[in-house]
Amino acid sequence: MSAFITRIRIWDRPVRLFHWGLILLVALSYASGKSGAWGLHYVSGYAILTMVLFRIFWGFFGSENARFVHFLRSPLAALQQLGRLGKRDRDTETSHNPAGGWMVVVLLTLLLTQAFSGLFANHDPGFSYSQHGPLALKVTEATSESLSALHLAVQRYLLFAIALHVLAIMLYKLVKGHELVMPMLTGEKLLPEGVKAPRLASGRLAFGLLVLAGTMVFLFIRLF
């Protein structure tokens, strides 16, 4: 590998907007849930569900390095990657590393479960109009209570996964010298010369998939 360093664009704008937008939405959902601002809580939940569906679509049809087939490797590869965490080495990744790829899947799964269960959740045993999810009255009370319990349980797992994700980013910066935050801000990363830049998909495709995701969420809520 060449010792020369070059600047490569690795993250497209849709991925970066998804990443930072999702952080804001999760914070908004958490704060509005804690304060009892349920109207705002539901709107942020719809937005999260739409964003997660978009990212799943982008994982199949989007930019080369955003596709699941590109960054998802075997669990063994992820464990081997974690085993090298204490070793300082050269960063050559143009996507998520093996461990980071599985963290993406875990976070998307938790967020999808959290947002979906919230549609049916009941925040008050009396099923008051202002304190239940938009679809809670479309299922039995027992089903709503079960999904409410799932909603609360997944929240704890999600907070733990987010904390683990942030810790890993910090360790990669401090221990290995890999900068992971700035590339997600600027889209560009300093890599050894000779590393091939990924093919990035168009913004029009991203917009179309976002509209599709939003339409699916809207129709599901209206027609369920």
Side-chain angles (χ1 to χ4, degrees), residues 89-116:
D89 53 15
R90 180 174 294 181
D91 187 4
T92 61
E93 291 286 351
T94 59
S95 183
H96 303 289
N97 62 42
W102 284 105
M103 178 56 77
V104 169
V105 172
V106 168
L107 287 170
L108 288 177
T109 301
L110 289 173
L111 286 165
L112 183 63
T113 304
Q114 180 77 346
F116 181 80

Side-chain angles (χ1 to χ4, degrees), residues 43 62 103 127 129 171 203 217:
V43 170
M103 178 56 77
F127 262 58
Y129 178 78
L171 288 175
V217 172

